[in-house]
Amino acid sequence: MLINFISVCVSTGSLFLTKRNTAVNQAIHYETSATKTYKMNAAIHSMLPEVFFSLCFRFNLASINDSDVGLKTDLITINPSQIRFKNLEQNPDPLVERVSVYGNASLAIPAFAYTFCTGQSIKTLKVLHPIRPQQPVAFFSPIYLRTLDRFWKGRGLKSIRLSTGFMLINTALELCEDVHVYGFWPFDTDLQDIPVPYHYYDQMKPHRYMHKMPEEFVRLLQLHSQGALTLHLQPCSSDTR
């Protein structure tokens, strides 16, 4: 299964839109629509990264610290719904402060998942590019994500959309020889029957219909049993952060 997956997706050069794989005036097809497109203009193209490669992935602007979850971050994803800063272009400081805690980690946004994601994502790119050029903003390639979605739907995973964590774990399997997964737990209680939140850093509840994380978890267990990745389900020791 892993060999088939790699031959289908090959994300190394296509996971994100870059200057190398995207042209000015190219029609960008949305991940979730067969008809809607976005025409890449020269201004946005000039702000795309040249190439992209990362090691430690974190998701949805997750909080970091030096006590349990650790600080190392090479890439952090942002859900466009999290960009709720008022007058962002006139007052970018709250956003800049929010992302600067990750150092120079790249920021990844699904700008072309749905049409309503595009405007806020591009605004974020325009705001951050001149202020924090050392912290690239990258847009997920909708072609790659659509290919990944079709791959798993063809293997029985029928969610509306794959979770961000599951997407990036798949990517890590392509890019890395040794993949360790922490914090992917789709249940209300842990192995000791202690309640655990959906996100460790907020009280958000999972969407009832969007993702099928228990089914994703089963796939990860299968990959773990095959030796393709290591799924960590116990509290982390200090040397794993």
Side-chain angles (χ1 to χ4, degrees):
M1 180 178 69
L2 188 57
I3 294 175
N4 289 338
F5 165 71
I6 292 175
S7 67
V8 168
C9 290
V10 190
S11 77
T12 307
S14 63
L15 173 62
F16 298 104
L17 300 182
T18 68
K19 289 187 177 73
R20 290 191 179 186
N21 64 23
T22 307
V24 175
N25 295 325
Q26 178 177 332
I28 307 299
H29 292 267
Y30 279 84
E31 174 192 345
T32 55
S33 173
T35 58
K36 295 179 180 177
T37 62
Y38 175 86
K39 186 177 181 180
M40 179 59 64
N41 60 58
I44 299 303
H45 185 270
S46 69
M47 291 184 277
L48 295 179
E50 294 285 349
V51 293
F52 211 90
F53 188 80
S54 292
L55 295 173
C56 182
F57 300 158
R58 296 182 187 269
F59 310 107
N60 299 326
L61 289 178
S63 301
I64 56 176
N65 58 54
D66 58 2
S67 59
D68 53 5
V69 298
L71 295 169
K72 179 176 173 58
T73 308
D74 293 296
L75 179 144
I76 183 78
T77 68
I78 304 176
N79 189 315
S81 65
Q82 294 179 290
I83 308 171
R84 301 170 182 169
F85 305 95
K86 294 182 178 179
N87 303 316
L88 183 59
E89 292 167 309
Q90 290 74 33
N91 182 26
D93 290 351
L95 175 61
V96 171
E97 181 179 353
R98 183 70 183 85
V99 302
S100 63
V101 300
Y102 305 107
N104 294 340
S106 300
L107 310 171
I109 310 176
F112 303 105
Y114 298 93
T115 54
F116 63 80
C117 298
T118 307
Q120 199 74 326
S121 301
I122 289 177
K123 187 182 297 184
T124 300
L125 172 64
K126 288 181 175 179
V127 166
L128 291 178
H129 187 265
I131 299 175
R132 292 189 61 79
Q134 76 278 21
Q135 191 171 23
V137 176
F139 295 154
F140 284 107
S141 165
I143 295 175
Y144 172 79
L145 296 183
R146 189 162 56 245
T147 302
L148 185 62
D149 180 72
R150 288 172 179 168
F151 173 85
W152 284 109
K153 276 187 169 61
R155 286 152 182 80
L157 189 51
K158 304 293 186 180
S159 58
I160 295 176
R161 191 167 186 264
L162 299 173
S163 71
T164 305
F166 192 74
M167 291 176 185
L168 269 295
I169 291 169
N170 278 270
T171 302
L173 287 170
E174 297 183 56
L175 297 176
C176 309
E177 293 183 1
D178 190 20
V179 176
H180 292 259
V181 179
Y182 300 87
F184 196 105
W185 184 256
F187 309 111
D188 294 333
T189 59
D190 64 13
L191 294 173
Q192 287 72 44
D193 206 31
I194 299 173
V196 292
Y198 177 56
H199 292 154
Y200 69 83
Y201 49 87
D202 63 27
Q203 298 302 313
M204 180 180 177
K205 300 295 183 182
H207 194 288
R208 291 185 61 186
Y209 307 109
M210 181 64 68
H211 307 309
K212 291 192 174 180
M213 293 185 67
E215 293 185 26
E216 293 179 352
F217 184 73
V218 170
R219 269 62 173 192
L220 295 182
L221 283 176
Q222 292 170 344
L223 291 169
H224 176 89
S225 66
Q226 295 166 6
L229 55 77
T230 302
L231 190 59
H232 295 266
L233 304 180
Q234 298 290 348
C236 299
S237 60
S238 59
D239 60 348
T240 60
R241 296 194 293 269

